[in-house]
Amino acid sequence: MRFRPLIVSSIALALLPLSSPAYADPAPLPTPTVSQTPTEAPPGEPVVEETPPEPPTEQPSEDAPQNPEDKVEDGLGVDGGTERAIVELTDPTQHAPVAGQAAAESVDVVLQPQDQPFMVVEGTAEELAKLAEDPRISSIHRDRTYTPADLGPSLSLIGADKAHAGGFTGTGQSVAVLDTGIDPDHPWFQGRIAAQACFSAVEPGVESLCPNGRPSQTDGNAADATAPACLLDGVNLCDHGSHVAGIAAGTGGVAPGAHIVAVQVFSRINDEDVCGEPACLLAYESSLRQAMEYVSGLSLPQPLAAVNLSLGGMLSESQCDSSEEAAIFKPIIDGLLAKNVATVVAAGNEYFDGVSFPACVSTAVAVGANDGQDAIADFSNRGPLLDLFAPGVDIESSVPDNTTTVYSGTSMATPHVTGALALMKQASPQTPMADLIDKLKQTGRPYVYDSYGTQVTTPRLDLAAALTGAAVQPPVAQTPTVPDETVPDEPDPFESGPSPEPGDPADPDPQPEPEPSTSPVPLPTVTVTVTVTHTASPAAAVCTRGTAAKKLSAAKWAVEIHRSSGTIPDATLTCYLKLISKSSKVFPELTKASSLGTAYRVLKSTRTGKARLDGALLTAWLNWAHGVNGTSAMTAAEKVRQATKPSSAALKKATKNVLKTVK
C-alpha cells in the first residue's frame, strides 16, 4: 500500500508514499460494535490474491456509483497482498453493521473512529471488491500517508518585532500544530499548551507515537515528543513539531502570547526498505482526518485562529479541489474556515512550480519559503498556487530537551503565517478569517518572478504593514534558477535485454561503458544539524530537487546508485527517492523502490513488460528529481501500470512514451 507523504516541509521525516501492505488477523466472530475510541486490530497473516478492480475511485458522496468496482480506488491491491484501506460510509451510524459485513467477508476492521463517516480495514483486492458491494459504502481507497516537510532574524524581516511593540502578541488566541508532537516541558511553551492529542496509526512495522502506545490519546501529555517511541539511538525523531510550534507561538516566535494545541499525527515506521534508514515518521490520512476533526470540535477559552500543517503529499501544478484526496479534506478545511479558523499548509521543498497536497486545496493558505535577503529559497516550491512567502531558511527554534536548533524548509515558513494570523485575529477578533488572510496578502511585499513563462506575483508576509500602518514595501524581482532542459540524446536503455543483479559475478560493474570525466554537478545533501545550546548553528540542507543540466539513462542511474560507484552522493540519491515517493503513484506503492538497493534492481530488470515500464518510469522520475524532467508522461504511463491486467501492447507503448522524456 502507498505511504503518501505529507512531508513536514523541512527535514523529510520519512512520511512519504506511505506504508507498505498491512496485515491483520481476521475479525472476531461476534459482530463488531462501534468503539468509543479508535481501536486497532492485532496483526495477522497476508492473503495473496490478485484480482483488484479496474475503475477509479469515486469521491465519497450520497451519489456514489452503484457499480461496486467503481467504488474501489484504481490500483488498490493490484500487485497482490493485503491493503490498509479507508472505507467511506454513506452514514456514520452504520459502523457496526458494515463492520459485521466486513468480518463476514474476512476483511479485518482495524479502526472505527467514533462519529466519523469512515473506518479503516485490511483486506485483499478481492475481499475489498466484495465489500464494496455493500450499498452503505460509498468508496474504498488507500489509507494514504504523508511525510513531514523538511525543516533567526526572521521576526524583524516580517515586521513581527514592530507588531509586538504595538501590543500584538496573539494573546487571547490559540493555534493548533498538527505535527510530530511537542516537548511539554520546554521553557518556550510554559503555561501556554491549551490541549494535547495524539492520533497515530498502528500496523505491523508501524508503531504508535502516543505515550500510551495506542492509536489515539486525548488526555495528559498526549502529544509528548519525548515519549520513548520518539527516540532512536539517542536521537529524537519527533523534534519537528516542537520546532514548528516554537516558530508559531513559542516565546521566541511570532505569537508569543498565543496558546498552543499540539496534536501528534505521525507514526513510527520501522522499515528500512520504506525509510532508507532504520526508522522514520509518516502520517496516515486516517490519523490526519481524526486530528482535524478533533481540533474542529474543540471549545477553548482562547479561540483557534489557525491550524498549522507543515507536511505534504502529492505534488500538483494546479488547484486540486476536484481530486479524490481533496474531496475528503476540503470540506474539513472549509468547515474550519467557516468557524474563522485558517488552515495554513507548507507548499513543499521540491523546487517545483506548484505545491504539495493539501496546499493545493483552494481554501488552504499555501506558504513558500524565502531567505533573509528577501529572495525565494532555492528549495521552495513557487508559482500561482502560493498565497504567501515567509522566512524558511536557517530558522532557530525550540526542540525537545529544552534546547534550540536551526532548520530550513517551508515547514519553517508555514508557522510564521500561522502565528501572524493569531496576531491578526487578536487585533480584529470580529473580522472574518478570510478577510484577515486577504489583508496579509494585500500588505505583503510583492515577489515578482516567472513561472512556466508567466509572470507571477506572490506577497511575502509583512506584519508591520498589516498591523502597524507601515507602508507596503516595494516589489522585489526574483530570478530563481531554471534547470536546463536541453540535453544530448541517450540510447534506449531497454533494448539490450535482461541484466544480472548486483553481486552477480557476471556483472561486477553494472555499467560497462566508461563515464565521462566531467566534474559532478553540485547537489543537495541530507544531513541534520543538532545544537545543544541556544546558539544557532548552520542549518541542515533541505531535501529538494537538483538543478542538473543533463539527463541520465537507466544504465547511468544504475551506476550512480550501485555501491557508491557514481558521483552523486548516496544522501542525495536517497533524497531523490523520497521526492519520487511523494510524487509517483507507482513508487514505492506498487514497485518497492524506497531504498538504493531496490531502486538498482528496478533499473536493471527488463524481464517483463511491467518490469521494463517500471525501469523507464524510475529513470524518468530520477531525472525529474535531478531537475531536468516534466511529469506529464510519467503520470499517463502510471495509469497503465496501475491497471489490473494491462496488455503487452499498452505496456510497450507506455514504456516508449516515457523513454522519450529520457532522451
Side-chain angles (χ1 to χ4, degrees), residues 22 29 39 145 159 181 193 214 246 279 298 303 327 419 439 452 573 631-632 647:
L29 292 178
T39 58
T145 58
I193 299 179
R214 298 178 60 80
L298 284 175
K439 186 171 183 180
Y452 291 126
L573 294 168
T631 62
S632 57
S647 67

Side-chain angles (χ1 to χ4, degrees), residues 261-621:
V261 176
V263 186
Q264 170 68 266
V265 296
F266 283 84
S267 298
R268 174 170 168 166
I269 313 301
N270 298 306
D271 188 334
E272 194 158 0
D273 284 341
V274 172
C275 301
E277 52 194 343
C280 61
L281 304 187
L282 294 176
Y284 281 83
E285 175 185 321
S286 54
S287 300
L288 190 58
R289 289 173 66 175
Q290 291 177 83
M292 294 187 74
E293 293 290 357
Y294 166 81
V295 298
S296 180
L298 284 175
S299 178
L300 300 170
Q302 305 83 17
L304 273 178
V307 175
N308 191 99
L309 298 177
S310 286
L311 45 76
M314 293 286 288
L315 296 173
S316 179
E317 298 176 357
S318 58
Q319 249 179 36
C320 62
D321 289 0
S322 60
S323 70
E324 178 191 357
E325 289 172 283
I328 301 298
F329 283 96
K330 189 176 187 300
I332 303 175
I333 294 171
D334 290 350
L336 287 166
L337 189 59
K339 296 179 179 181
N340 285 324
V341 180
T343 302
V344 189
V345 189
N349 302 326
E350 291 76 32
Y351 180 66
F352 179 70
D353 282 61
V355 298
S356 60
F357 181 86
C360 53
V361 174
S362 62
T363 43
V365 182
V367 184
N370 61 269
D371 63 20
Q373 286 70 51
D374 248 343
I376 298 174
D378 55 9
F379 55 79
S380 179
N381 291 347
R382 59 204 71 198
L385 295 184
L386 261 68
D387 293 294
L388 288 161
F389 281 104
V393 177
D394 296 352
I395 306 300
E396 184 179 11
S397 185
S398 48
V399 291
D401 296 327
N402 299 338
T403 63
T404 63
T405 195
V406 173
Y407 286 140
S408 296
T410 55
S411 273
M412 282 63 255
T414 304
H416 281 84
V417 175
T418 296
L421 288 170
L423 269 60
M424 297 293 289
K425 195 169 181 180
Q426 176 197 358
S428 187
Q430 303 305 317
T431 301
M433 178 54 66
D435 292 345
L436 296 178
I437 295 168
D438 284 342
K439 186 171 183 180
L440 283 183
K441 294 164 70 172
Q442 292 163 9
T443 56
R445 184 173 196 180
Y447 282 5
V448 182
Y449 56 99
D450 286 338
S451 176
Y452 291 126
T454 301
Q455 188 177 84
V456 174
T457 299
T458 306
R460 189 263 292 151
L461 179 65
D462 185 355
L463 280 169
L467 285 174
T468 69
V472 175
Q473 297 183 68
V476 180
Q478 304 284 333
T479 54
T481 303
V482 179
D484 185 357
E485 296 281 345
T486 305
V487 295
D489 288 344
E490 296 283 356
D492 188 333
F494 297 99
E495 290 182 352
S496 57
S499 301
E501 299 292 339
D504 190 327
D507 185 27
D509 182 353
Q511 171 61 23
E513 65 263 26
E515 279 291 303
S517 58
T518 56
S519 299
V521 176
L523 293 165
T525 57
V526 182
T527 58
V528 176
T529 301
V530 179
T531 58
V532 293
T533 70
H534 286 270
T535 301
S537 65
V542 176
C543 176
T544 188
R545 291 178 66 202
T547 55
K550 181 179 179 181
K551 299 180 184 181
L552 302 180
S553 66
K556 290 183 178 179
W557 276 116
V559 169
E560 293 293 343
I561 287 173
H562 184 255
R563 297 173 184 168
S564 301
S565 56
T567 60
I568 303 175
D570 285 354
T572 297
L573 294 168
T574 300
C575 164
Y576 284 178
L577 293 179
K578 289 180 179 180
L579 295 176
I580 292 167
S581 295
K582 283 189 63 179
S583 308
S584 165
K585 291 188 176 181
V586 168
F587 304 106
E589 184 178 299
L590 303 181
T591 301
K592 309 307 178 189
S594 299
S595 67
L596 297 180
T598 53
Y600 177 85
R601 287 191 285 274
V602 170
L603 291 170
K604 297 294 288 184
S605 179
T606 58
R607 292 176 175 83
T608 66
K610 282 186 177 180
R612 287 190 287 275
L613 178 55
D614 288 345
L617 279 168
L618 183 54
T619 302
W621 278 115

Side-chain angles (χ1 to χ4, degrees), residues 584-587 617 621 634-642:
S584 165
K585 291 188 176 181
V586 168
F587 304 106
L617 279 168
W621 278 115
M634 290 97 82
T635 302
E638 288 194 345
K639 292 180 180 179
V640 175
R641 180 62 177 85
Q642 287 183 294

